[in-house]
Amino acid sequence: MVEASPLILIIEDEPQIRRFLQAALTGAGYRPIEAETGKMGLAQAATQPPDAIILDLGLPDMDGLEVARQIRAWSSVPIIVLSARGQEKDKVAALDLGADDYLTKPFGVGELLARIRVALRHAARTEGEDGQAVMVVGDLKVDLAARRVFRADTEVHLTPMEYRLLTTLVKHAGKVLTHAFLLKEVWGPANARETHYLRVFMANLRHKLEADASRPRYLLTEQGVGYRLADE
């Protein structure tokens, strides 16, 4: 039996962008379905659960952030926001509400397809009972079961807090994590505004794990928003 290709729900009010996304997704082997309003998107998501959602924020009937909030109340489906709103506060708001990623219009179809692949891989990992015990990307290897980290087959010794920060990124590999999320997960809710903690520890991790800390391959910055661990 051939497994069905992933179903992608497009919630977008502009017909030309929907047509473009339909063609790009179909060409990449996905099954796209459409909704031109927030209410239609919510109904589609409930009656024909997709494998991922591409969500515009500027919908005619309701804010896309509200659509994301309502979907997150009952589903963990990957949500990739695609919006003309490029301000950092909009990106942070969408990601804090549970979106997995955020692309600003105009966008490249290659980048969008790459983000979809990452989101689907992350969703597949989180569906497993114990998650992924070992993550390997490039020459970086993180063995969560053994609590060991390697770069190019050489073990790297991390401090407890560095390891906690890295494993938080690993467990959400490919997903943009906001500063506030990382601070709460690693240092606790009382430190949610201490962004200098993140800068210092991320710099330390890059010096230990990257071939060139000034041009990171794995520990990526989403300017003004947060960080992402590369997943491919």
Side-chain angles (χ1 to χ4, degrees):
M1 181 177 177
V2 178
E3 185 177 350
S5 57
L7 184 69
I8 311 294
L9 171 59
I10 304 164
I11 307 178
E12 165 66 63
D13 66 318
E14 295 186 44
Q16 63 272 31
I17 294 181
R18 288 203 309 274
R19 286 195 296 270
F20 174 75
L21 290 172
Q22 277 271 6
L25 292 171
T26 301
Y30 298 113
R31 293 179 296 139
I33 55 175
E34 299 180 9
E36 60 187 60
T37 67
K39 288 181 180 178
M40 289 174 62
L42 290 169
Q44 285 268 37
T47 58
Q48 195 174 0
D51 295 290
I53 295 173
I54 297 173
L55 173 64
D56 180 30
L57 295 185
L59 299 169
D61 60 335
M62 60 195 300
D63 194 294
L65 293 176
E66 176 60 19
V67 175
R69 188 192 68 77
Q70 290 193 33
I71 290 173
R72 271 296 168 264
W74 57 271
S75 173
S76 60
V77 61
I79 299 174
I80 299 171
V81 169
L82 195 63
S83 177
R85 301 182 199 171
Q87 294 187 9
E88 290 171 4
K89 65 181 180 65
D90 294 312
K91 295 181 181 181
V92 171
L95 293 164
D96 279 343
L97 279 171
D100 292 74
D101 214 334
Y102 194 114
L103 279 177
T104 304
K105 298 175 182 176
F107 59 93
V109 66
E111 183 178 10
L112 174 62
L113 293 174
R115 300 289 180 95
I116 291 172
R117 290 194 299 270
V118 167
L120 292 173
R121 278 202 303 274
H122 179 249
R125 276 202 305 271
T126 55
E127 284 176 3
E129 290 184 359
D130 300 318
Q132 188 178 33
V134 179
M135 177 184 172
V136 179
V137 54
D139 64 0
L140 177 64
K141 176 181 175 182
V142 182
D143 187 333
L144 296 173
R147 297 178 64 86
R148 300 175 72 187
V149 179
F150 300 85
R151 183 169 75 85
D153 296 322
T154 299
E155 186 165 5
V156 179
H157 296 283
L158 303 179
T159 68
M161 199 60 78
E162 288 169 353
Y163 181 77
R164 188 168 178 179
L165 175 57
L166 178 62
T167 55
T168 300
L169 289 160
V170 166
K171 290 172 183 175
H172 300 273
K175 181 175 179 178
V176 179
L177 302 180
T178 64
H179 297 130
F181 178 87
L182 285 166
L183 287 163
K184 288 176 185 175
E185 288 291 306
V186 179
W187 284 274
N191 297 293
R193 295 184 181 275
E194 307 294 339
T195 54
H196 62 284
Y197 289 176
L198 270 180
R199 287 195 298 271
V200 171
F201 279 86
M202 190 62 68
N204 292 343
L205 279 178
R206 282 174 171 158
H207 280 294
K208 292 182 177 183
L209 301 178
E210 300 281 3
D212 182 353
S214 65
R215 300 176 64 186
R217 157 75 175 84
Y218 307 116
L219 300 163
L220 308 179
T221 298
E222 296 289 334
Q223 196 62 43
V225 178
Y227 297 95
R228 175 208 307 271
L229 179 67
D231 194 29
E232 62 178 4

